[in-house]
Amino acid sequence: MAMNGKGTLLDASTLPVKEFDGIIVGGGGSGMMASLQLAKSGMNTAVVSKVFPTRSHTVSAQGGITCSIQSADPDDDWRWHMFDTVKGSDFIGDQDSIEYMCKEGPEAIFELENMGLPFSRTEEGKIYQRAFGGQSKDYGKGGQAERTCAAADRTGHALLHTLFQANVKAGTNFLSEWFAVDLVKNQSEQVVGVIAFEIESGEPYFLKSKATVLATGGAGRIYQTTSNALINTGDGTGMALRAGFPVQDMEMWQFHPTGIHGHGTLVTEGCRGEGGYLVNKDGERFMERYAPNYKDLASRDVVARSMFTEILEGRGCGPDADHVYLKLDHLGPEIVHKRLPGVTELSKRFAHVDPAEHPIPVVPTCHYAMGGIPTNVHGQVISQNSDGTDKIIDGLYAAGEAACVSVHGGNRLGGNSLLDLIVFGRSAGLHIEESFKSGIKMDNPSPDDVDYALRNLNRVNISQSGENFVEVKKDLQKTMQMNFGVFRTEELMENGIKEVSNLRDKSQNIHLADKSSQFNTARVEALELLNLIEVAEATAISANERKESRGAHSREDYPDRDDENWLKHSIYFSDTKQVSKREVNFRPKQVQAFQPIVRTY
Amino acid sequence: MNAISASEIKTLRLSIYRYDPLKEEKPYMQDFDIDIPAEKDLMVLDVLMLAKEQDPSISFRRSCREGVCGSDGLNINGKNGLGCITPLSDAVKSNKLSIRPLPGLPVIKDLIVDMKQFVDQYKKVKPYLITDKKVDTRKAIPQTIEEREKLDGLYECIMCGCCSTACPSFWWNPDKFLGPAALLQAYRFIADSRDTATEERLEQLEDAFSVFRCHGIMNCVSVCPKGLNPTKAIGEIKKMLVKRAL
């Protein structure tokens, strides 16, 4: 029953069903960590990925994975890592989650190494660790730490391929190049699978499952300039919002300081970890003024804002004074080419400079969503009861960048995203495995439940006229870039919210001209737009609602952090477009909670 | 070095291989005129995306657009490469750019090939660490800097398929000859000081086809977008196999 271009409506009565114990949507780091766990347990699982797994965006991570494995420093302590992460989050990271990640991290790193991940090495034959931003010893009192485990500057590639290989070994079932469209929810608010189609044939299916993990990664493509892959369209986030589940802290978008000017592609923070630094047009190492202690290794939100301030005050480089320089040439070709071979390649390719000889022109670029689908440490998705208390959604999990567990709060530290992926991908897998052992009962969805989840696919498939989705996407990216960038004001954001709302209306009326079934990428792009719109609107409304400056969310009209009112998560529902608040967790199990302090670097 | 400097290109004549096996009997080339901003040196992927704006029905894979995910292996003016990191200044000849799918694999649609054969060969070499030593899972398996350096030039493969689909030996025997990508991967694990399955791996490679169909043509080396050298890795495997046979 292919989508044959004649505008036939799909419905539950004829839709083929494939049944699994668990499905994982997304084949990046967190998805493949979860699938590995499930494959080993012998469960009937499938990874549903719109690209072949090694094409996932985890592959682009460069600098490393931060974890207190005591290689560079035998006295390093996961509690120091925890402190840095809490401080980095500007105190709205959940401390139970951060504690879990920092404490469980080393075991996960060694598991990956044992799987074959080709980490760089120290003289003693241990895993090499480098300095990254916002890292300290002794709870911020002992100076810069070196805590980021690295495979040269290709850590994400090494990690993703190692995980793919481990999954090949474990016999994981991949539904590779399948696109998941929407969640199927039964009348008891349980998630019982997804509607998806095989991209090659266009054949749609109901993938029925007792546990569904959304591991769909980021959505940086809501912005015009981003480090993110073209596939980062927030698909799981859009699916969750459309199914009536909330997202958390969506106003918190990280702009990475060192995007290559004019392209958006990143060069790693590891450049500065290896001794590189930023200069303005006068050749001044300006970070010394903004962060006298950590300088270029202050946390990313601080560095990005400082760079924009330099540019706005007329000290930018180049004919348009619209970027600054990242200097590495003083390190010499030996260090630059050996430790940063990928950066060398990217700089030559996209900036036409060899970083061992010339500085790289850089400008902050949208990089990472700290917000996402709220979960607990087991990856279980959380919604909110009307009285504001948490409600666990049966059958639905989220992990990685799509999720908000929340270990990053208002600002993520470099190297913590890969750690987040593997720790919480694994914990979701573990929880599903345990739940299965104790027995999961789910109600069958009604035909109406399935039909409801088919509505978007049907709408796109039968569209006879309407908006050009490529144009709507471009307008959306421009709107987000203009109105929800590094510095925000109410005026800009209210204007942006109106524009996004108009674009949402347009997105409800998009036209897919090519209805062919065979590897129709236009159909995929049309459906991706619906997800981008959901993420963008959640970002826009949440950003305007948070009336303070914290972490990556910096408002000129509310320049200060407001702990009295906003030491909270924001929670946003798409159907009501309302933002509510959720308590931040200050109850770690083994240490005293870290209380908010003034955040300086 | 460059065939043509970026500033000379204004309107590019782009020719794209089109084929939908469900609708068309034969593939054909479709021409587009693409306006290129004079001062910009776009990548091949950029112009493909511009063409797709003119005709949304063109299908091609893409993801990272920075040369690390391996999605957009293409045959660009006759040479395999990644669309996203091949600048027009390198690829365009006489203001013409012709883009075809990677050769030798079945075409699913337009520029999208069926990678199954390629991935199957990859899986055959057991592309994962095997170790019979009891591993203490509470720490890393020790490896010296020198031992780790042996993996440089091997582990960076992005599985784009440019090499294997440029290899005449792979075209002739795609089911029996493993191809440069899979063999590079095989050697990546043979060369890993932590792997203890060298003997098992070599035994599996010892027939007349798996490795020995490589005749050192070195197309793989000339097209690898990551600058890797599969021929060298294959040479190392051959040496080990010969030594083992003596």
Coordinates of all heavy atoms in Angstrom, one line a residue, chain A residues 271-272 274-279 283 325-337 340 343-344 347 353-361:
Chain A
C271 N 40.5 23.6 20.6 CA 41.5 24.5 20.1 C 42.0 25.4 21.2 O 43.2 25.7 21.4 CB 40.9 25.4 19.0 SG 40.5 24.5 17.5
R272 N 41.0 25.9 22.0 CA 41.4 26.8 23.1 C 41.9 26.0 24.2 O 42.8 26.4 25.0 CB 40.2 27.7 23.5 CG 39.9 28.8 22.5 CD 38.6 29.5 22.7 NE 37.5 28.7 22.2 CZ 36.3 28.5 22.8 NH1 36.1 29.1 24.0 NH2 35.4 27.8 22.3
E274 N 43.9 23.5 23.9 CA 45.3 23.2 23.5 C 46.1 24.5 23.6 O 47.3 24.4 23.2 CB 45.3 22.5 22.2 CG 44.7 21.2 22.1 CD 45.4 20.1 22.9 OE1 46.5 20.3 23.3 OE2 44.8 19.0 23.0
G275 N 45.5 25.6 23.9 CA 46.3 26.8 24.0 C 46.0 27.9 23.0 O 46.6 29.0 23.0
G276 N 45.0 27.7 22.2 CA 44.6 28.7 21.3 C 43.8 29.8 22.0 O 43.3 29.6 23.1
Y277 N 43.7 31.0 21.4 CA 42.9 32.1 22.0 C 42.3 33.0 21.0 O 42.8 33.0 19.8 CB 43.7 32.9 23.1 CG 45.0 33.5 22.6 CD1 45.0 34.7 22.0 CD2 46.2 32.8 22.8 CE1 46.2 35.3 21.5 CE2 47.4 33.4 22.3 CZ 47.4 34.6 21.7 OH 48.6 35.2 21.3
L278 N 41.3 33.8 21.4 CA 40.6 34.7 20.5 C 41.2 36.1 20.5 O 41.6 36.6 21.6 CB 39.1 34.8 20.9 CG 38.4 33.5 20.9 CD1 37.1 33.6 21.8 CD2 38.0 33.1 19.5
V279 N 41.3 36.7 19.4 CA 41.7 38.1 19.3 C 40.8 39.0 18.5 O 40.1 38.4 17.6 CB 43.2 38.3 18.7 CG1 44.2 37.6 19.6 CG2 43.2 37.7 17.3
G283 N 44.2 42.8 17.6 CA 45.1 41.7 18.1 C 45.1 41.5 19.6 O 45.9 40.8 20.1
Y325 N 39.1 36.6 15.4 CA 40.1 35.5 15.0 C 40.4 34.5 16.2 O 40.5 34.9 17.3 CB 41.4 36.1 14.6 CG 41.3 36.7 13.2 CD1 41.9 38.0 12.9 CD2 40.8 36.0 12.1 CE1 41.8 38.5 11.6 CE2 40.8 36.5 10.8 CZ 41.3 37.8 10.6 OH 41.3 38.3 9.3
L326 N 40.5 33.3 15.8 CA 41.0 32.3 16.7 C 42.4 32.0 16.3 O 42.7 31.5 15.2 CB 40.1 31.0 16.6 CG 40.6 29.8 17.4 CD1 40.6 30.0 18.9 CD2 39.8 28.5 17.1
K327 N 43.3 32.3 17.3 CA 44.7 32.1 17.0 C 45.3 30.8 17.5 O 45.1 30.4 18.6 CB 45.5 33.2 17.7 CG 46.3 34.1 16.8 CD 47.0 35.3 17.6 CE 48.4 34.9 18.1 NZ 49.3 34.7 17.0
L328 N 45.9 30.1 16.6 CA 46.5 28.8 16.9 C 47.9 28.7 16.4 O 48.7 27.8 16.8 CB 45.7 27.6 16.3 CG 44.3 27.3 16.8 CD1 43.7 26.3 15.8 CD2 44.4 26.7 18.2
D329 N 48.3 29.7 15.6 CA 49.6 29.6 14.9 C 50.8 29.6 15.8 O 51.8 29.1 15.5 CB 49.7 30.7 13.8 CG 49.4 32.1 14.4 OD1 48.5 32.2 15.2 OD2 50.1 33.0 14.0
H330 N 50.6 30.2 17.0 CA 51.7 30.2 18.0 C 52.0 28.9 18.6 O 53.0 28.7 19.2 CB 51.4 31.2 19.1 CG 50.1 30.9 19.9 ND1 48.9 31.0 19.3 CD2 49.9 30.3 21.1 CE1 48.0 30.6 20.2 NE2 48.6 30.2 21.3
L331 N 51.1 27.9 18.4 CA 51.3 26.6 19.0 C 52.3 25.7 18.1 O 52.8 24.7 18.6 CB 50.0 25.8 19.1 CG 48.9 26.4 19.9 CD1 47.6 25.7 19.9 CD2 49.4 26.5 21.4
G332 N 52.4 26.1 16.9 CA 53.3 25.4 16.0 C 52.6 24.3 15.3 O 51.7 23.7 15.8
P333 N 53.1 23.9 14.1 CA 52.5 22.9 13.3 C 52.4 21.5 14.0 O 51.4 20.8 13.7 CB 53.3 22.8 12.0 CG 54.5 23.7 12.2 CD 54.3 24.5 13.4
E334 N 53.4 21.2 14.8 CA 53.4 19.9 15.4 C 52.1 19.7 16.2 O 51.4 18.7 16.0 CB 54.6 19.8 16.3 CG 54.7 18.5 17.1 CD 55.0 17.3 16.2 OE1 55.2 17.4 15.0 OE2 54.9 16.2 16.8
I335 N 51.8 20.6 17.1 CA 50.6 20.5 18.0 C 49.3 20.6 17.1 O 48.4 19.8 17.2 CB 50.6 21.6 19.1 CG1 51.8 21.3 20.0 CG2 49.3 21.6 19.8 CD1 51.5 21.2 21.5
V336 N 49.3 21.6 16.3 CA 48.1 21.9 15.5 C 47.7 20.7 14.6 O 46.6 20.3 14.6 CB 48.2 23.2 14.7 CG1 47.0 23.4 13.8 CG2 48.4 24.4 15.6
H337 N 48.7 20.2 13.9 CA 48.4 19.1 13.0 C 48.2 17.8 13.6 O 47.4 17.0 13.2 CB 49.5 19.1 11.9 CG 49.5 20.3 11.0 ND1 50.6 20.7 10.3 CD2 48.5 21.2 10.7 CE1 50.3 21.8 9.6 NE2 49.1 22.1 9.9
L340 N 45.0 18.5 16.4 CA 43.8 19.1 15.8 C 43.7 18.8 14.3 O 43.5 19.8 13.5 CB 43.7 20.6 16.1 CG 43.8 20.9 17.6 CD1 44.1 22.4 17.8 CD2 42.5 20.6 18.3
V343 N 40.4 19.9 12.6 CA 40.2 21.3 12.6 C 41.1 21.9 11.5 O 40.6 22.8 10.7 CB 40.6 22.0 14.0 CG1 40.9 23.5 13.8 CG2 39.6 21.7 15.0
T344 N 42.2 21.4 11.3 CA 43.1 21.8 10.2 C 42.4 21.6 8.9 O 42.3 22.5 8.0 CB 44.4 21.0 10.2 OG1 45.0 21.2 11.5 CG2 45.4 21.4 9.1
S347 N 39.4 24.0 8.5 CA 39.8 25.4 8.3 C 40.3 25.6 6.9 O 40.0 26.6 6.2 CB 41.0 25.8 9.2 OG 40.6 25.5 10.5
V353 N 42.3 28.7 5.3 CA 43.5 29.0 6.0 C 44.1 27.7 6.7 O 43.3 26.9 7.1 CB 43.4 30.1 7.1 CG1 43.0 31.4 6.5 CG2 42.4 29.7 8.2
D354 N 45.4 27.6 6.8 CA 46.0 26.6 7.6 C 46.2 27.2 9.0 O 47.0 28.1 9.1 CB 47.4 26.2 7.0 CG 48.0 25.1 7.8 OD1 47.6 24.8 9.0 OD2 49.0 24.5 7.3
P355 N 45.5 26.6 10.0 CA 45.5 27.2 11.3 C 46.9 27.2 11.9 O 47.2 28.0 12.9 CB 44.6 26.4 12.1 CG 44.4 25.1 11.4 CD 44.6 25.4 9.9
A356 N 47.8 26.4 11.4 CA 49.2 26.5 11.9 C 49.9 27.7 11.4 O 51.0 28.1 12.0 CB 50.0 25.2 11.5
E357 N 49.4 28.4 10.4 CA 50.0 29.6 9.9 C 49.2 30.9 10.1 O 49.8 31.9 10.2 CB 50.3 29.4 8.4 CG 51.4 28.4 8.1 CD 51.5 28.0 6.7 OE1 50.9 28.6 5.8 OE2 52.1 26.9 6.4
H358 N 47.9 30.7 10.0 CA 47.0 31.9 10.0 C 45.9 31.7 11.0 O 45.4 30.6 11.2 CB 46.4 32.2 8.7 CG 47.4 32.5 7.6 ND1 48.1 33.8 7.6 CD2 47.9 31.8 6.6 CE1 48.9 33.7 6.6 NE2 48.9 32.6 6.0
P359 N 45.4 32.8 11.7 CA 44.2 32.6 12.5 C 43.0 32.3 11.8 O 42.9 32.6 10.6 CB 44.1 34.0 13.2 CG 44.8 34.9 12.3 CD 45.9 34.2 11.6
I360 N 42.0 31.6 12.4 CA 40.8 31.2 11.8 C 39.7 32.3 12.1 O 39.5 32.6 13.2 CB 40.3 29.9 12.3 CG1 41.4 28.8 12.3 CG2 39.1 29.4 11.6 CD1 41.1 27.5 13.1
P361 N 39.0 32.8 11.0 CA 37.9 33.7 11.3 C 36.7 33.0 11.9 O 36.2 32.0 11.3 CB 37.6 34.3 9.9 CG 38.1 33.3 8.9 CD 39.2 32.5 9.6

